[in-house]
Amino acid sequence: MAETLEKRTSEINGRLWGARARDWADVQEGQFAAAFHAVLAHAKVGPGTNHLDAGCGAGMAASLSASLGAQVSGLDAAETLLKIARERVPNGDFRQGDLEALPFEDDSFDLVTGFNSFQYAGDAAQALREAGRVTRPGGKIAIMTWGEPAGMEAAGHVAALKPLLPPPPPGAGGPFALSQEASLRAFAEAGGLTPLETVDVDTPWHYPDLETALRGMASSGVAVKAAEHSGEDALMSAMTAFLKPFEKPDGSVTFGARARYLIATV
Protein backbone atom coordinates (compact mmCIF):
# COMPACT_ATOMS: atom_id res chain seq x y z
CA MET A 1 0.00 0.00 0.00
CA ALA A 2 2.82 2.42 0.87
CA GLU A 3 4.55 1.66 -2.42
CA THR A 4 1.38 2.52 -4.33
CA LEU A 5 0.97 5.78 -2.40
CA GLU A 6 4.56 6.81 -3.08
CA LYS A 7 4.22 6.13 -6.79
CA ARG A 8 0.96 8.07 -6.96
CA THR A 9 2.51 11.01 -5.09
CA SER A 10 5.43 11.08 -7.51
CA GLU A 11 3.13 10.94 -10.52
CA ILE A 12 0.94 13.76 -9.22
CA ASN A 13 3.89 15.99 -8.31
CA GLY A 14 5.57 15.24 -11.61
CA ARG A 15 2.50 16.27 -13.56
CA LEU A 16 1.89 19.47 -11.60
CA TRP A 17 5.48 20.73 -11.36
CA GLY A 18 6.34 19.63 -14.89
CA ALA A 19 3.31 21.18 -16.58
CA ARG A 20 5.05 24.51 -17.25
CA ALA A 21 8.63 23.33 -17.08
CA ARG A 22 10.20 25.89 -19.38
CA ASP A 23 8.60 28.83 -17.59
CA TRP A 24 9.77 27.38 -14.28
CA ALA A 25 13.31 27.00 -15.60
CA ASP A 26 13.53 30.35 -17.36
CA VAL A 27 11.77 32.55 -14.80
CA GLN A 28 10.85 31.08 -11.43
CA GLU A 29 13.53 28.62 -10.42
CA GLY A 30 16.14 31.35 -10.11
CA GLN A 31 14.13 33.32 -7.54
CA PHE A 32 15.74 31.14 -4.86
CA ALA A 33 19.21 31.25 -6.41
CA ALA A 34 20.64 33.15 -3.43
CA ALA A 35 19.75 30.20 -1.21
CA PHE A 36 21.33 27.73 -3.65
CA HIS A 37 24.56 29.71 -3.57
CA ALA A 38 24.47 29.93 0.24
CA VAL A 39 24.02 26.19 0.74
CA LEU A 40 26.76 25.28 -1.74
CA ALA A 41 29.16 27.73 -0.08
CA HIS A 42 28.24 26.47 3.39
CA ALA A 43 28.95 22.90 2.29
CA LYS A 44 32.25 23.96 0.66
CA VAL A 45 31.29 22.38 -2.65
CA GLY A 46 34.19 22.10 -5.06
CA PRO A 47 36.24 19.64 -7.13
CA GLY A 48 35.82 16.17 -5.73
CA THR A 49 32.39 16.81 -4.18
CA ASN A 50 29.72 14.26 -5.07
CA HIS A 51 26.40 16.11 -4.83
CA LEU A 52 22.86 14.77 -5.15
CA ASP A 53 20.06 17.32 -5.54
CA ALA A 54 16.91 15.47 -4.46
CA GLY A 55 13.98 17.16 -6.16
CA CYS A 56 16.33 18.90 -8.56
CA GLY A 57 13.70 20.57 -10.74
CA ALA A 58 15.21 22.01 -13.91
CA GLY A 59 18.73 21.66 -12.54
CA MET A 60 19.72 25.22 -11.63
CA ALA A 61 21.27 24.25 -8.28
CA ALA A 62 22.96 21.26 -9.88
CA SER A 63 24.36 23.51 -12.60
CA LEU A 64 25.76 25.92 -10.01
CA SER A 65 27.32 23.00 -8.16
CA ALA A 66 28.86 21.61 -11.35
CA SER A 67 30.33 25.04 -12.12
CA LEU A 68 32.19 24.77 -8.79
CA GLY A 69 33.71 21.46 -9.87
CA ALA A 70 31.29 19.00 -8.25
CA GLN A 71 30.10 15.78 -9.80
CA VAL A 72 26.32 16.16 -9.71
CA SER A 73 23.34 13.85 -9.74
CA GLY A 74 19.68 14.74 -9.52
CA LEU A 75 16.30 13.16 -9.00
CA ASP A 76 12.90 14.65 -9.75
CA ALA A 77 9.32 13.52 -10.31
CA ALA A 78 8.92 15.54 -13.53
CA GLU A 79 10.57 14.23 -16.67
CA THR A 80 9.98 17.57 -18.43
CA LEU A 81 12.09 19.33 -15.78
CA LEU A 82 14.76 16.62 -15.94
CA LYS A 83 15.07 17.16 -19.69
CA ILE A 84 16.11 20.77 -19.00
CA ALA A 85 18.45 19.69 -16.20
CA ARG A 86 20.22 17.36 -18.62
CA GLU A 87 20.60 20.22 -21.10
CA ARG A 88 22.13 22.40 -18.40
CA VAL A 89 24.47 19.74 -17.01
CA PRO A 90 25.28 17.23 -19.77
CA ASN A 91 27.69 15.33 -17.53
CA GLY A 92 25.22 15.01 -14.68
CA ASP A 93 23.27 11.89 -13.74
CA PHE A 94 19.59 12.86 -13.65
CA ARG A 95 16.90 10.28 -12.93
CA GLN A 96 13.12 10.28 -12.59
CA GLY A 97 11.73 8.71 -9.45
CA ASP A 98 10.47 8.95 -5.88
CA LEU A 99 12.25 10.71 -3.04
CA GLU A 100 11.19 7.78 -0.84
CA ALA A 101 13.18 5.29 -2.94
CA LEU A 102 16.32 6.97 -4.27
CA PRO A 103 17.88 4.94 -7.11
CA PHE A 104 21.44 5.38 -5.81
CA GLU A 105 23.83 3.21 -3.80
CA ASP A 106 24.49 3.58 -0.09
CA ASP A 107 27.16 6.11 0.94
CA SER A 108 27.38 7.66 -2.53
CA PHE A 109 27.34 11.40 -1.85
CA ASP A 110 29.17 14.02 0.17
CA LEU A 111 26.18 16.35 0.00
CA VAL A 112 22.47 15.75 -0.52
CA THR A 113 20.27 18.82 -0.96
CA GLY A 114 16.52 19.16 -0.87
CA PHE A 115 15.52 22.63 -2.04
CA ASN A 116 11.80 22.85 -1.16
CA SER A 117 11.42 19.18 -2.01
CA PHE A 118 11.41 16.73 0.91
CA GLN A 119 8.15 18.11 2.30
CA TYR A 120 6.38 17.21 -0.96
CA ALA A 121 7.14 13.51 -0.58
CA GLY A 122 4.26 11.20 0.25
CA ASP A 123 6.31 10.00 3.24
CA ALA A 124 8.71 12.79 4.16
CA ALA A 125 10.40 10.84 6.96
CA GLN A 126 11.16 8.00 4.56
CA ALA A 127 12.52 10.52 2.02
CA LEU A 128 14.92 11.85 4.65
CA ARG A 129 15.95 8.33 5.64
CA GLU A 130 16.77 7.71 2.00
CA ALA A 131 18.79 10.93 1.88
CA GLY A 132 20.71 9.71 4.90
CA ARG A 133 21.25 6.29 3.37
CA VAL A 134 22.94 7.65 0.25
CA THR A 135 25.07 10.16 2.21
CA ARG A 136 28.62 9.13 3.07
CA PRO A 137 29.79 9.11 6.71
CA GLY A 138 30.74 12.68 7.50
CA GLY A 139 28.60 14.01 4.66
CA LYS A 140 25.82 16.56 4.96
CA ILE A 141 22.13 16.84 4.10
CA ALA A 142 20.68 20.32 3.46
CA ILE A 143 16.93 20.86 3.82
CA MET A 144 15.63 24.18 2.49
CA THR A 145 12.17 25.58 3.06
CA TRP A 146 10.44 28.96 3.31
CA GLY A 147 11.61 31.38 5.96
CA GLU A 148 9.18 32.52 8.63
CA PRO A 149 6.23 34.23 6.92
CA ALA A 150 5.81 37.15 9.33
CA GLY A 151 6.79 40.33 7.51
CA MET A 152 7.73 38.46 4.31
CA GLU A 153 6.17 40.08 1.24
CA ALA A 154 6.26 36.84 -0.78
CA ALA A 155 4.01 35.17 1.79
CA GLY A 156 1.16 37.19 0.31
CA HIS A 157 1.14 35.10 -2.84
CA VAL A 158 0.41 31.99 -0.77
CA ALA A 159 -2.60 33.76 0.74
CA ALA A 160 -3.72 34.78 -2.74
CA LEU A 161 -3.61 31.19 -3.99
CA LYS A 162 -5.30 29.57 -1.00
CA PRO A 163 -8.93 30.32 -2.01
CA LEU A 164 -8.27 28.85 -5.46
CA LEU A 165 -7.02 25.48 -4.19
CA PRO A 166 -9.02 22.41 -3.20
CA PRO A 167 -9.23 21.72 0.55
CA PRO A 168 -5.91 20.32 1.80
CA PRO A 169 -5.71 16.73 3.05
CA PRO A 170 -6.38 16.26 6.78
CA GLY A 171 -3.27 17.08 8.79
CA ALA A 172 -1.50 18.91 5.96
CA GLY A 173 0.85 21.50 7.40
CA GLY A 174 0.85 24.06 4.60
CA PRO A 175 3.78 25.81 2.90
CA PHE A 176 5.12 27.37 6.10
CA ALA A 177 4.84 24.27 8.27
CA LEU A 178 8.64 23.96 8.52
CA SER A 179 9.45 27.65 8.77
CA GLN A 180 9.79 27.57 12.55
CA GLU A 181 13.25 26.34 13.56
CA ALA A 182 11.85 23.85 16.06
CA SER A 183 9.57 22.35 13.41
CA LEU A 184 12.39 22.08 10.90
CA ARG A 185 14.69 20.38 13.41
CA ALA A 186 11.92 17.96 14.42
CA PHE A 187 11.31 17.24 10.72
CA ALA A 188 14.96 16.24 10.28
CA GLU A 189 14.97 14.14 13.44
CA ALA A 190 11.84 12.28 12.32
CA GLY A 191 13.84 11.13 9.31
CA GLY A 192 16.68 9.82 11.45
CA LEU A 193 18.99 12.78 10.84
CA THR A 194 20.97 14.84 13.33
CA PRO A 195 20.18 18.53 12.81
CA LEU A 196 23.05 20.98 13.10
CA GLU A 197 22.67 24.69 12.30
CA THR A 198 19.92 26.63 10.56
CA VAL A 199 20.56 29.67 8.38
CA ASP A 200 18.23 32.31 6.92
CA VAL A 201 18.87 33.75 3.47
CA ASP A 202 17.21 36.76 1.85
CA THR A 203 16.02 35.76 -1.61
CA PRO A 204 14.22 38.77 -3.14
CA TRP A 205 12.11 37.94 -6.18
CA HIS A 206 12.63 40.17 -9.20
CA TYR A 207 11.00 40.20 -12.63
CA PRO A 208 11.60 42.60 -15.55
CA ASP A 209 7.85 43.18 -16.04
CA LEU A 210 4.43 42.07 -14.87
CA GLU A 211 3.92 39.65 -17.76
CA THR A 212 7.12 37.77 -16.87
CA ALA A 213 6.18 37.74 -13.19
CA LEU A 214 2.82 36.18 -14.00
CA ARG A 215 4.43 33.59 -16.27
CA GLY A 216 6.94 32.63 -13.60
CA MET A 217 4.59 32.50 -10.66
CA ALA A 218 2.01 30.53 -12.63
CA SER A 219 4.59 27.81 -13.32
CA SER A 220 4.78 26.33 -9.81
CA GLY A 221 2.99 23.07 -9.11
CA VAL A 222 0.80 24.83 -6.57
CA ALA A 223 -0.26 27.45 -9.11
CA VAL A 224 -0.98 24.79 -11.73
CA LYS A 225 -3.15 23.00 -9.18
CA ALA A 226 -4.99 26.26 -8.47
CA ALA A 227 -5.60 26.80 -12.18
CA GLU A 228 -6.94 23.27 -12.57
CA HIS A 229 -9.29 23.72 -9.64
CA SER A 230 -10.50 27.30 -10.18
CA GLY A 231 -9.53 28.17 -13.75
CA GLU A 232 -6.69 30.04 -15.42
CA ASP A 233 -8.53 33.37 -15.35
CA ALA A 234 -9.00 33.17 -11.59
CA LEU A 235 -5.31 32.36 -11.13
CA MET A 236 -4.16 35.28 -13.29
CA SER A 237 -6.56 37.66 -11.54
CA ALA A 238 -5.35 36.66 -8.07
CA MET A 239 -1.68 36.84 -9.03
CA THR A 240 -2.11 40.22 -10.73
CA ALA A 241 -3.82 41.63 -7.63
CA PHE A 242 -0.92 40.38 -5.50
CA LEU A 243 1.81 41.67 -7.83
CA LYS A 244 0.48 45.11 -8.72
CA PRO A 245 1.56 46.82 -5.46
CA PHE A 246 5.16 45.72 -6.14
CA GLU A 247 5.31 47.13 -9.67
CA LYS A 248 8.02 49.80 -10.01
CA PRO A 249 7.91 52.94 -12.23
CA ASP A 250 10.07 51.18 -14.85
CA GLY A 251 7.58 48.29 -15.01
CA SER A 252 9.71 45.79 -13.11
CA VAL A 253 8.33 43.83 -10.16
CA THR A 254 10.32 43.20 -6.97
CA PHE A 255 9.36 41.99 -3.51
CA GLY A 256 11.04 40.40 -0.52
CA ALA A 257 11.33 36.69 0.25
CA ARG A 258 13.35 34.54 2.64
CA ALA A 259 14.51 30.96 2.68
CA ARG A 260 15.65 28.94 5.68
CA TYR A 261 17.91 25.93 5.41
CA LEU A 262 19.00 23.31 7.91
CA ILE A 263 22.26 21.41 7.67
CA ALA A 264 22.02 17.89 9.06
CA THR A 265 24.16 14.79 9.24
CA VAL A 266 23.43 11.10 9.55
Side-chain angles (χ1 to χ4, degrees):
M1 180 66 179
E3 183 177 348
T4 302
L5 174 62
E6 289 166 12
K7 182 178 181 183
R8 189 186 312 127
T9 302
S10 174
E11 289 175 349
I12 291 171
N13 283 332
R15 180 181 62 78
L16 291 173
W17 288 90
R20 303 178 183 184
R22 190 59 67 175
D23 286 342
W24 177 262
D26 291 348
V27 181
Q28 195 62 22
E29 190 174 27
Q31 304 303 331
F32 276 117
F36 302 160
H37 283 288
V39 169
L40 298 177
H42 193 138
K44 297 180 172 59
V45 170
T49 301
N50 282 298
H51 172 203
L52 169 65
D53 192 15
C56 63
M60 175 173 281
S63 178
L64 293 171
S65 186
S67 73
L68 297 171
Q71 178 60 49
V72 299
S73 301
L75 178 128
D76 202 84
E79 187 60 43
T80 50
L81 290 171
L82 289 168
K83 182 175 183 290
I84 299 170
R86 295 183 187 111
E87 293 170 0
R88 287 173 162 174
V89 193
N91 294 328
D93 178 7
F94 294 97
R95 308 184 192 183
Q96 194 278 337
D98 290 287
L99 292 170
E100 298 94 332
L102 296 175
F104 301 99
E105 297 296 321
D106 295 359
D107 305 335
S108 295
F109 300 100
D110 305 296
L111 173 67
V112 176
T113 53
F115 294 112
N116 267 327
S117 62
F118 290 125
Q119 60 268 45
Y120 286 99
D123 183 340
Q126 173 60 19
L128 291 177
R129 285 191 288 270
E130 278 290 278
R133 177 185 66 78
V134 302
T135 301
R136 291 173 178 163
K140 298 292 190 294
I141 299 100
I143 305 166
M144 190 198 82
T145 184
W146 283 99
E148 294 189 28
M152 188 204 308
E153 291 172 334
H157 96 280
V158 176
L161 285 175
K162 187 175 181 179
L164 307 181
L165 292 164
F176 300 109
L178 301 179
S179 298
Q180 293 286 336
E181 182 173 358
S183 299
L184 186 54
R185 294 178 75 86
F187 180 75
E189 289 170 346
L193 306 179
T194 300
L196 302 177
E197 64 267 50
T198 59
V199 180
D200 292 334
V201 183
D202 285 327
T203 58
W205 291 12
H206 176 76
Y207 308 89
D209 50 57
L210 183 62
E211 180 183 0
T212 304
L214 288 168
R215 188 160 56 88
M217 295 186 70
S219 68
S220 75
V222 178
V224 170
K225 189 174 185 178
E228 289 181 351
H229 184 71
S230 298
E232 187 74 14
D233 289 346
L235 174 65
M236 290 296 107
S237 177
M239 288 294 93
T240 300
F242 163 72
L243 290 166
K244 271 291 188 180
F246 302 111
E247 198 171 14
K248 308 301 182 187
D250 65 357
S252 65
V253 178
T254 300
F255 52 91
R258 286 188 304 276
R260 168 168 283 176
Y261 69 86
L262 168 72
I263 299 293
T265 190
V266 181

